[in-house]
Amino acid sequence: MPPPSVLSDFSATVGESLLHVRPIYIVAGLCAWISWRILYRLVLWPRFLSPLRIVPGPPLGGIIAGQFPAIIQGEAGIPQREWVKQHGSAVRVVGPLGIERLIYTKADTLHKILVSEWMEHPRPGFLREILGFVAGYGLLTVTGTEHKQMRKAMNPAFSIPNLMAQTDMYYDPIHNLVRILNEQIDGETEPSKGKVIHMYEWMSKVTLDIICETAFGYRTDSLNNPHNALSEAYEDLLNLQSGKNIAEFILLASIPGFKRFINSDWAYNHRHWFAKSSLLAPMSIALDAMHRIKKISAEMLAEKTKDNAVALSDTEAKRDIMSLLVRARNADLAIKSGYTMTDQQMMDQVLTFLGAGHETTASGLAWTLWLLANNKGHQDELRKELKPIFENNPRPEYRTLKDLTWLDGVVMESLRLLPPVPMTFRQAGKTDYIEGVLVPKGTMLYIPIRVVNTWKEIWGEDAEEFRPLRWQSLPKAYTPTLSFLSFIAGPHACIGKTMAVMEMKAVLAALIANFEFEPAYEGQVAQPTAAVTMKPADHMPLRVKRFL
Ligand code: HEM
């Protein structure tokens, strides 16, 4: 046995050399592992190993970007519609970084994903991050049991009797809008020729004023105030919507800890640093806009909580949605029932109503005006139906508006053809067979709202045409929940659907009764943005004339 001194000399030498060698091995090992992961993710999995290879679809595309360029350069939902036409009702598309997504259009499959097994197919993390940042971590982002409880607490506020009672609240903003458009036209040198007006901007203001009134009992009056703080903040935020910015956001959101970082005071206080990098500049604008929106939302909520603190038995209490939620929470707290929303959750709901209920309805209205401007015959028929009603009563109530044939057909047809939310995503929460193919846990499922809404197998050969009267005799293949997906289906279906449709009807009815709409110039084409919501990129200029 060698003496201990020799042993210690030996181990010291080995240790020393290991100390020198180990970092190289570690770095080399790390490099090899990263290279292997990259090779596996980008090449081996999508091209040779994935069980989804048997699902038909377009070519895989470039190794890094896949079909992503086609997706973001095309109109939202249109490349997917072409792929379904070419490859059938189940399509596999490889997106960026080798990530596969499946598109299913058959009612049975959509029922499984959205309705019967909705808990096993949650919204994917990246979508929850985007929605949570701009629309609060409320109903739009919670999943499973928490979602069930929150939705149960909120459903009564969206009941039909409550919405009926709210309809009259729409009319002050609507009448403001009609007056402003009249003034704008009268300000022209030749008022009879009308005026080209960016209608999306006005739809955004009127829907902001209506949602603030009906959801919070809060008067924003952005229609009369061009520099309204809330409306300017949303404008800044919504102008960031582009395929490129969303892709960058998804990339950043995949970094662990991103949610905490982006919602921290530090990120807001240092936002000017991000403005210096072209990649992070949109983040700086978004942080600034969200800070302003959160500040105003907190004020609205504080006013509500103060208002309703003593209102448990007050029959004259306000009927806006937030008042109902605050009163319901107070009642739950009083009887110590199981589930009550925390202050933070209430705050998130304020952001959710603003984020989910404002721009979607504005885009829906703008697209409806676009379709009518390009279909004069349908516009005339609608006006014929509306004129006598408005001559009788300038504030028609819920029941009157609900049952009008042309008004209903035009709104539903517009939401079908140009849905403000053209697609959404789910993720396979477990490995399971869908349409006979083993779909690995984690696979992205593209919910093809615009594709299904215009699928010829359901809607017939004229599926892509604007024909409002089709809602009077729906095709045989139509199923109420899964043929028209604009508000999707199942437990995550839009809670504001009835409210949105009623609001669109009230605004549109008043506009069509008072004005005529035409394209702003010859050859004008629609310019939908390809992002989370589909708004007109050009803010929809239309020629607006008084209807006398
Ligand atoms: C034309 C207008 C609207 C359209 C097209 C629309 C569409 C949608 C869609 C497609 C979803 C499902 C998103 C997903 O699961 O990924 C959704 C969810 C939701 N919408 Fe709407 N929406 C509209 C108006 C509104 C309004 C006015 C409100 C409320 C004031 C609202 C509140 C919500 C909420 C809270 C959710 C989440 C529901 C849940 O997960 O339980 N929406 N909406």
Side-chain angles (χ1 to χ4, degrees), residues 123 139-140 147 151 158 211 352 356-357 360-361 415 420-421 424 426 449 486-488 491-496 499-500:
R123 291 184 182 117
L139 203 54
L140 269 166
H147 175 268
R151 178 97 188 200
F158 288 87
I211 192 80
T352 300
T360 44
T361 318
L415 287 168
V421 182
T424 183
R426 294 295 185 262
I449 296 177
S486 302
F487 298 96
I488 69 156
H492 275 300
C494 176
I495 199 169
M499 180 178 177

Side-chain angles (χ1 to χ4, degrees), residues 529-543:
T529 52
V532 180
T533 57
M534 190 165 78
K535 74 180 187 85
D538 58 355
H539 289 196
M540 180 78 62
L542 291 178
R543 179 163 295 279

Side-chain angles (χ1 to χ4, degrees), residues 23 53 73 79 129 145 158 188 270 324 394 402 417 446 546:
R53 282 172 303 135
Q73 280 155 23
E129 289 309 331
T145 312
F158 288 87
E188 293 292 280
H270 295 82
L324 294 175
K402 185 179 163 291
L417 274 182
Y446 174 100
R546 269 172 181 267

